[in-house]
Structures are given as structure tokens and as C-alpha cells.
Amino acid sequence: MKKLTYLLCGVASLAAIAAFSPEPGPRIEFDAMESYPEGVAYNKIDGNYYVSSARLGNIGKVTPQGAYTILLQDSMLKSTYGIKIHPDGKKLFACVSDANYSKYTNPATRTKMAKLIGLELSTGKKISDIDLSGLLPGKHFANDMTFDQQQNIYVTDSFAGAIYKVTPNGRASVFAKDELFKTEGVGLNGIVYHADGFLIVDNTAKGELYKIDIKNPKNIAKVAINQFFLGADGLLLNDKNLLTVVVNGGSDKIFQLATTDNWKTANVKASTLATDRFTYPSTATQNGNEIWVMNAQFNQLLDSNQVPVKKFAIQKVNYKPL
């Protein structure tokens, strides 16, 4: 009888936990067969989200209601990763590589490709195509990007351990390269520009964040934080003192970091919960006061028994203070 009582109590406890477990944040679900979007960018001018495709190289548009249409389709692009809307709201820029997941990979481009493309949002027409692979020897993976106040673009190369700078007129150069960035596999990844004149960049393999002076790119400092973020991917600067860090590779959580000394140091202020059920989150974008994250589902690509995913989701972040 005691065993039965304990069993019933255990079932009741589990039911209570399930009843009070919070639901995942709101999601915008859309059908984009086999696209595996990595980058996401919200455009406040037209009210739509734009997503990349690590598998097919497409650039797509997602309405708030979840209607997906392809804006640019070109198998020669192999994979598209980080994307950003130009400050004028009329153009979109995307990082292009053949790093790991492309359906159209081939030996001529595999780990050798690094491009920055631009296109018109109104037509999907490609307006620029800048090759970055010749700037440094070795392997390449153009992964993420950000704009500064002069509309220069900074692009992370996760394999070369470098950051490139592309001016508004399309001139590309190596902006920063340092021993701190060096890793095996994917290194530098997410990147944001801070209005006080510096970049913040994360390192996926090391779980570290770096602060880089725009005027003196040799002035690089590790942001002092009391934990590492292994699997760190996209970054989003919410305001001068708050930063969103998207982490995947097993953790699948979103963290909010805060600073009181202009990013010399930082601490974790809040995070999402396991019950939010992010599925390999990759990058984040801001819609008003809301933060929305792309669920890339790359974990499915690592399992040869999985069928291609059709349904993807952009998910709202609900932070819980720590």
C-alpha cells in the first residue's frame, strides 16, 4: 500500500510540475523545406523578418503571420549565414560561405569561400558581391556582420580568425587578426558595433567575448565575465549596457549580459529556461522592445537519419532574471 501511495504522490508531483511549467515563448512558424535558416533580421520599415539558408543559400522573407517567400535563390551562393538590414531599410547584406552544411558544396569552394553580398529588398536583385577570401590565406567562413555609424561593414571569418572591413564603396581589407582569436574549428562568430566606438565579438570554440577599438584594432581586450559561453553564436546589443548572447551546441539558451564599465567586465543578468525549448538557436534580431531568435535546427543536419526539416520558427525571448 505504501508503494502505491508513493507512486500516486509521485505522479501527482509530476502533474503539478507539468501544470506550472512555463510554455515556450511565442513563435512565428514558417515552412521553408530544407532551408535551415541561420541569420535573421527584422526590418522595421516593412515589418517583415528576413532569413538566410545554411543549406540552400537562399534569402527569404517571413511575414509576422508566418508566410515564407524566397527573395533570392542562387545555388552558387552555397550557404548564407549572418544577415543585416542596411540602415536605410532598403537593402540587405548577407555573409556567404561554404563552411559545412551546403547542399551544393564542392571541393572548389568548401572552406574556401567568403563573400559579402548586398541586395535590394524591394526586388531581391543582387547589387553587390564582394569576395573576401583573397584577403588572407587558408580556410574561410564568413559568418556574421555588423554596421558602424559610417555604414562600414565588419565581417567575422570563423576559420581565418579575422575580422574584415568593407567600406560603403565596397573596398575590403583585414581589420583585425590576433592570437586571441585563434581556434580549431569555428572561432569568431557573432559581432556587434557599440556607439562608443568599438566592436564586441564572441568566440564559439573558446566561449569568450572581445572588445575591439574601431580606431585602433590592435587594441583588443577580453571582456571579463565569470563564465564561458561555449557555443556562442549571434550577438545583439539591446542598449549600451545590455547584450544578448545566443548559445547553441547543446546549451540552446539565450543569455543577457550587463556591464557597468563600458564592457571591460560583464555579468549574466538573465537567461532563458530549458522549458523555452529553443532548437539550435543561432542569431537574434530586435523588433521594438522584443528580441526574436532564429531556431536553425542544425542538430538535425548532424544526424544522417533525420529527414529534411520543413517547419522552422523565429521565437520570442522571455528572459528570467538570475
Side-chain angles (χ1 to χ4, degrees), residues 167-201:
T167 64
N169 63 7
R171 182 178 176 273
S173 61
V174 177
F175 174 74
K177 186 172 172 61
D178 193 271
E179 283 296 311
L180 269 177
F181 303 157
K182 213 170 177 183
T183 60
E184 291 294 327
V186 177
L188 295 185
N189 196 332
I191 183 169
V192 292
Y193 170 75
H194 193 286
D196 286 348
F198 56 88
L199 302 172
I200 301 174
V201 189

Side-chain angles (χ1 to χ4, degrees), residues 8 102 113 164-165 217 228 237 245 252 280:
L8 290 173
S102 177
M113 190 177 192
Y164 307 123
K165 179 179 178 179
F228 294 96
L237 195 63
V245 182
D252 290 356
Y280 208 103

Side-chain angles (χ1 to χ4, degrees), residues 192-201 209-214 219-225 237 239-243 257-267:
V192 292
Y193 170 75
H194 193 286
D196 286 348
F198 56 88
L199 302 172
I200 301 174
V201 189
L209 274 71
Y210 312 114
K211 177 181 176 180
I212 307 168
D213 192 327
I214 287 287
N219 184 5
I220 302 169
K222 190 189 301 183
V223 180
I225 312 172
L237 195 63
D239 62 36
K240 292 182 71 173
N241 298 315
L242 289 176
L243 179 73
L257 305 188
T259 186
T260 57
D261 55 12
N262 212 24
W263 298 103
K264 292 178 182 177
T265 66
N267 64 282

